[in-house]
Amino acid sequence: MEREPNLVISSASQRIVEDGVPFKVDIYKLEGGEGWTLEVVTEDGTSIVWDDLFDDDRAAFDEELNTIRNEGAVAFANGGSNVIPFKQ
């Protein structure tokens, strides 16, 4: 049986607050894998995962900050117009 790869968590992962809205920023990749995944989790538990992988963790963090600042923090919170809820 083949061993599952470990998940490598970037030290750039952190909690941030933009415009009074808290976010959890997770940046990770599979051990030995190419590219970093960017996931932002809102206070209500909504997870937003970028489709594209990033060359390094700093590029992922910079993209997250730019996106939140350009689109506005509230666009990600409380089911903003860019969030599609899963059917229950």
Side-chain angles (χ1 to χ4, degrees):
M1 179 182 256
E2 202 171 317
R3 179 178 78 81
E4 293 285 325
N6 291 320
L7 195 61
V8 178
I9 311 267
S10 166
S11 61
S13 297
Q14 59 186 280
R15 293 190 179 279
I16 65 165
V17 177
E18 276 293 322
D19 296 331
V21 179
F23 295 95
K24 181 177 171 230
V25 178
D26 291 321
I27 301 170
Y28 51 86
K29 70 176 186 169
L30 293 177
E31 182 179 44
E34 298 285 325
W36 291 87
T37 298
L38 170 60
E39 177 180 15
V40 174
V41 181
T42 63
E43 186 175 40
D44 66 357
T46 301
S47 170
I48 300 110
V49 179
W50 273 243
D51 292 331
D52 297 324
L53 297 177
F54 296 87
D55 291 335
D56 58 56
D57 56 345
R58 188 69 208 175
F61 186 80
D62 290 344
E63 174 67 18
E64 165 270 327
L65 273 184
N66 288 334
T67 301
I68 289 174
R69 288 179 179 161
N70 289 334
E71 296 193 25
V74 178
F76 292 92
N78 302 320
S81 62
N82 61 341
V83 176
I84 300 170
F86 286 106
K87 292 183 179 182
Q88 301 276 335

